[in-house]
Amino acid sequence: MRCAPSVTPHDFELDALREKYRHERDKRLRREGTAQYVHVTTDMPDFWEADPYSPPVVRDPVAADIDVAIIGGGFAGLLAGAYLKKAGVKDVRIIEMGGDFGGAWYWNRYPGIQCDNESYCYIPMLEELGYMPSRRFVDGVEIYGHCRNMGEHFGLYDGALFGTMIRSMIWEEATRRWTIKTNQDDELRARFVIMATGPWSKPKLPGIPGLASFRGHMFHSARWDYGYTGGGPGDPVLDKLADKRVAVIGTGATAIQIVPILGQYAKHLTVFQRTPSAVDHRRNDPTDPEWAASLKPGWQRERQENFYVFSGEPFPSKAAEEDQTCDFFTEVGRNVSGRVAAAGRELSIEELVAIREEEDYATMERIRRRTDEIVKNPETAEALKPYYRYMCKRPCSSNDYLPAFNRPNVTLVDVSASKGVERVTEKGLVANGKDYEVDCIIFASGFEISAQDQKVASGIEAIDGRGGLSLYDHWSEGYRTLHGMSSHGFPGLFFTGFTQGGLSTSVTAMYEQQGEHIAYIIAETMKRGAATVEATQEAQDQWVSTIRELAPPDTFLQECTPGYYNNEGGGHGGIRAAVGEPYAPGFYKFGDLIAQWRDRNDLSGMTLIP
Ligand code: NDP
């Protein structure tokens, strides 16, 4: 399908809107930043450690020497495991707290869950596994199934330890191995460890006073209690809610998906909103078999790259109609590219920045006017309008979310003026000075994604490298890595995620790039007969300088409404993006850089340890 630039309104006062955005941001800004949230701890097992989907794992402790331990069995761990197997590394064990592979897709089984990025890009290794998603945005059950297929396909179930949480990882100089201890009393001694814990693994709760006093039922969206609501994963018939008053806290990407279904089944649903999401129409067609049959080998990588150009590059290098995804995620990029082509001449950077800003405002204005067309109560419609720039928060799409607020049993409570829900009581919640009695509170309040809290986010008590150096201390002033994947003083330890590497708008493409690179280093180290491998101090320093010299000023994030993208607008520690410190020239430029490094085949900047 050829995709033209979208039709957006341009009859708005840019200066007035800029002022409105500032006002809305300041209204929500909390000085305490991320400290406003309550970390889920081991004495709150229902919110994190308890697994509603699998019985507790009962087994004898494992004590073993192994080659590679992968911490986490979501897409990051699966992709690292897949590339290790492809590189001929056999002794690989994935250690996963859930009862199966899947990571975010194992835990997040809430009703209505679907992929938000187009499945053809998001779900990795489609060609290798010979799989075609059933529609553009598939249900979570289908993605979870794909994770399990990857586990089977690459033999990753062999030796995998499920229902197992890492407590500590300590480097032992004498044996040149990491000693890994778990909640199952395992003791694994691994030559290499790959951290694949993912940014979406640990739920967080809003620090609302009185939370513990609530006498009704509470759970987080990532630990859905189907026993309470009725229905089950992939079967969103929440018939047990017919006599229940339900509250949802949060209106991010998760809430957009659960609210329509809760509205359909609950006796009454009250949605507490601090910041509205931008919600567009969702075109979710079934996959056209003719289109699927017409695809040529290599199509997925090409599509992922095309998606990145329009969603990740500020001034897309391709013509607008080449946008293959053609949805809200790529709209601003597509429209910018259309304007650049129409100019018919080379534009200055100032002109490009002005076009980008105007198209951004125009797209968000289109979304706001769409809200007016759908939501009948004008006050509710106004409250549901997002006043911030595109990509300050996750762009969402749903055909059912906004109409849910036309139901007589659904109430929106805007808590922006008080910067959140005021208080929880025995019987419910207090907002804007008013009591809301409810039977159940569902927290759609997100995850410990902020780059600030490494230890909190991983849930691992200690990661100690050479000389007892804690990784958390080593990184306390910012990441210190070579290519985002290894650190001096931590031999054989590898990282995946948002740590000074290539940043993609499709997180699975990023994990695949990292998995391939790490697998190459491990396989080469083993081939060369070394015990392990470590980044040199010089190479690490050089990479950190490269990252920081190239980094553009983050004024965009500073001006954004608070959220996890900008470390809740700052507070203690200032602005630091949840996406870490990416390599500014771009995701595919980073891919080229590390591919060239591999082609040289000299492991430069790394030391082999005998
Ligand atoms: P978010 O962190 O995006 O949203 C948390 C919500 O809780 C926000 O609306 C936040 O408001 C609100 N909140 C926090 N504290 C309070 C308070 N004290 N009072 C009232 N409201 C409060 O979490 P999500 O789970 O929605 O999404 C997290 C990420 O997970 C997404 O950005 C996306 O990357 C991923 N995701 C992907 C999906 C997919 O692909 N299918 C689906 C769902 C999620 P405020 O905005 O004002 O801070």
Side-chain angles (χ1 to χ4, degrees):
M1 188 188 75
R2 305 295 275 176
C3 177
S6 66
V7 178
T8 51
H10 284 258
D11 56 336
F12 51 81
E13 291 285 334
L14 192 55
D15 281 340
L17 267 183
R18 278 201 197 106
E19 188 47 41
K20 170 82 172 157
Y21 281 20
R22 256 194 300 275
H23 170 75
E24 293 293 328
R25 170 188 189 273
D26 291 350
K27 196 163 86 177
R28 293 169 172 87
L29 203 53
R30 287 174 60 153
R31 284 190 60 249
E32 67 271 46
T34 52
Q36 69 183 276
Y37 289 97
V38 176
H39 302 313
V40 174
T41 50
T42 41
D43 56 353
M44 302 157 91
D46 286 351
F47 284 109
W48 189 37
E49 295 196 21
D51 184 343
Y53 312 116
S54 303
V57 171
V58 181
R59 61 168 173 79
D60 291 333
V62 176
D65 285 1
I66 60 171
D67 283 337
V68 188
I70 300 179
I71 316 299
F75 274 133
L78 288 165
L79 283 159
Y83 275 93
L84 281 166
K85 292 286 173 122
K86 278 149 69 96
V89 179
K90 296 192 180 73
D91 186 13
V92 176
R93 263 184 200 258
I94 295 187
I95 304 159
E96 163 57 50
M97 67 184 278
D100 204 334
F101 292 133
W105 299 101
Y106 176 86
W107 294 107
N108 286 274
R109 302 203 206 179
Y110 57 76
I113 185 165
Q114 279 185 344
C115 190
D116 262 358
N117 276 357
E118 193 195 70
S119 315
Y120 312 125
C121 291
Y122 176 77
I123 302 180
M125 292 192 150
L126 290 177
E127 290 184 73
E128 188 144 1
L129 267 74
Y131 185 70
M132 179 52 72
S134 62
R135 49 179 59 243
R136 261 164 72 86
F137 302 103
V138 297
D139 291 350
V141 170
E142 192 169 328
I143 305 175
Y144 173 46
H146 186 78
C147 294
R148 301 169 73 187
N149 288 344
M150 282 180 71
E152 295 285 357
H153 186 89
F154 292 104
L156 296 168
Y157 277 98
D158 302 340
L161 297 175
F162 294 111
T164 304
M165 293 180 69
I166 307 298
R167 294 295 188 219
S168 65
M169 292 170 31
I170 310 290
W171 167 253
E172 310 286 350
E173 195 71 47
T175 57
R176 306 267 201 267
R177 286 174 184 266
W178 287 88
T179 299
I180 302 170
K181 294 195 174 164
T182 77
N183 65 335
Q184 301 277 359
D185 294 328
D186 305 311
E187 189 170 312
L188 298 161
R189 293 166 298 270
R191 292 170 65 186
F192 306 96
V193 181
I194 302 176
M195 300 293 295
T197 44
W200 292 274
S201 55
K202 195 164 181 196
K204 71 174 165 22
L205 298 173
I208 306 171
L211 207 64
S213 64
F214 183 58
R215 290 280 170 82
H217 197 63
M218 305 193 265
F219 57 89
H220 189 276
S221 53
R223 300 290 182 277
W224 195 270
D225 188 349
Y226 281 105
Y228 182 84
T229 64
D235 172 31
V237 180
L238 310 184
D239 48 3
K240 292 189 184 170
L241 295 181
D243 59 349
K244 300 286 190 294
R245 299 157 303 173
V246 177
V248 168
I249 298 184
T251 46
T254 297
I256 302 310
Q257 298 185 328
I258 61 178
V259 160
I261 298 175
L262 287 171
Q264 191 183 338
Y265 287 99
K267 179 177 174 201
H268 197 92
L269 174 67
T270 311
V271 180
F272 292 87
Q273 172 191 276
R274 187 165 62 186
T275 314
S277 282
V279 187
D280 197 12
H281 169 73
R282 172 167 284 219
R283 189 167 57 81
N284 197 4
D285 313 316
T287 300
D288 174 359
E290 260 180 59
W291 168 77
S294 74
L295 295 167
K296 305 273 180 295
W299 69 268
Q300 189 182 25
R301 205 162 267 233
E302 189 206 315
R303 197 172 179 95
Q304 286 170 332
E305 194 159 344
N306 182 280
F307 176 69
Y308 173 77
V309 166
F310 287 98
S311 60
E313 288 184 0
F315 316 114
S317 47
K318 286 182 185 285
E321 62 274 12
E322 287 177 46
D323 174 8
Q324 294 182 13
T325 308
C326 199
D327 69 10
F328 184 30
F329 248 100
T330 54
E331 179 176 349
V332 175
R334 178 167 74 250
N335 293 354
V336 168
S337 135
R339 289 273 299 274
V340 171
R345 65 178 171 87
E346 187 134 340
L347 297 168
S348 67
I349 187 69
E350 290 76 20
E351 287 173 311
L352 286 169
V353 168
I355 289 175
R356 173 93 205 175
E357 186 188 28
E358 192 186 327
E359 290 306 326
D360 178 325
Y361 274 78
T363 293
M364 294 302 277
E365 184 64 19
R366 179 181 72 71
I367 294 294
R368 289 189 287 269
R369 293 186 191 183
R370 179 175 183 272
T371 308
D372 277 331
E373 284 161 20
I374 295 171
V375 180
K376 295 200 177 103
N377 179 320
E379 207 180 313
T380 307
E382 189 53 36
L384 285 164
K385 290 180 190 169
Y387 286 98
Y388 47 80
R389 286 191 66 172
Y390 170 79
M391 277 294 178
C392 278
K393 284 191 179 283
R394 168 97 165 184
C396 299
S397 61
S398 164
N399 300 334
D400 307 318
Y401 179 71
L402 294 173
F405 294 96
N406 292 332
R407 300 181 69 100
N409 67 325
V410 177
T411 308
L412 181 75
V413 178
D414 177 354
V415 296
S416 57
S418 52
K419 302 180 198 285
V421 172
E422 269 166 52
R423 213 166 55 245
V424 178
T425 64
E426 279 185 22
K427 292 187 172 170
L429 301 119
V430 182
N432 307 324
K434 191 174 162 197
D435 281 302
Y436 294 86
E437 282 195 15
V438 295
D439 302 297
C440 173
I441 305 175
I442 300 173
F443 294 97
S445 48
F447 303 88
E448 299 278 6
I449 302 176
S450 166
Q452 220 76 357
D453 303 309
Q454 302 288 337
K455 187 170 176 176
V456 168
S458 76
I460 301 174
E461 276 304 308
I463 304 179
D464 293 349
R466 185 176 295 116
L469 175 65
S470 159
L471 182 68
Y472 305 125
D473 292 342
H474 187 56
W475 282 0
S476 63
E477 302 289 311
Y479 295 117
R480 292 199 237 170
T481 71
L482 170 61
H483 298 153
M485 289 177 254
S486 50
S487 243
H488 182 66
F490 298 84
L493 180 63
F494 295 91
F495 316 110
T496 62
F498 303 117
T499 45
Q500 296 185 328
L503 173 66
S504 173
T505 33
S506 187
V507 76
T508 50
M510 187 178 80
Y511 292 149
E512 185 158 3
Q513 193 181 67
Q514 293 167 336
E516 183 177 10
H517 190 69
I518 293 167
Y520 161 81
I521 297 173
I522 291 176
E524 274 305 307
T525 304
M526 294 175 77
K527 220 187 281 173
R528 295 174 195 208
T532 189
V533 66
E534 180 184 3
T536 65
Q537 180 76 51
E538 299 72 40
Q540 175 185 287
D541 292 348
Q542 180 61 49
W543 184 248
V544 174
S545 306
T546 302
I547 285 284
R548 297 195 177 148
E549 277 160 22
L550 294 173
D554 55 10
T555 42
F556 177 87
L557 278 178
Q558 284 177 27
E559 287 168 8
C560 274
T561 191
Y564 77 84
Y565 279 17
N566 67 357
N567 193 26
E568 304 301 332
H572 299 302
I575 299 283
R576 188 160 135 186
V579 290
E581 296 176 285
Y583 178 69
F587 177 70
Y588 287 98
K589 292 269 177 6
F590 178 73
D592 292 344
L593 183 143
I594 54 174
Q596 284 159 14
W597 185 90
R598 291 196 297 273
D599 287 346
R600 289 199 295 276
N601 204 30
D602 58 2
L603 297 175
S604 62
M606 301 200 87
T607 310
L608 292 174
I609 300 177

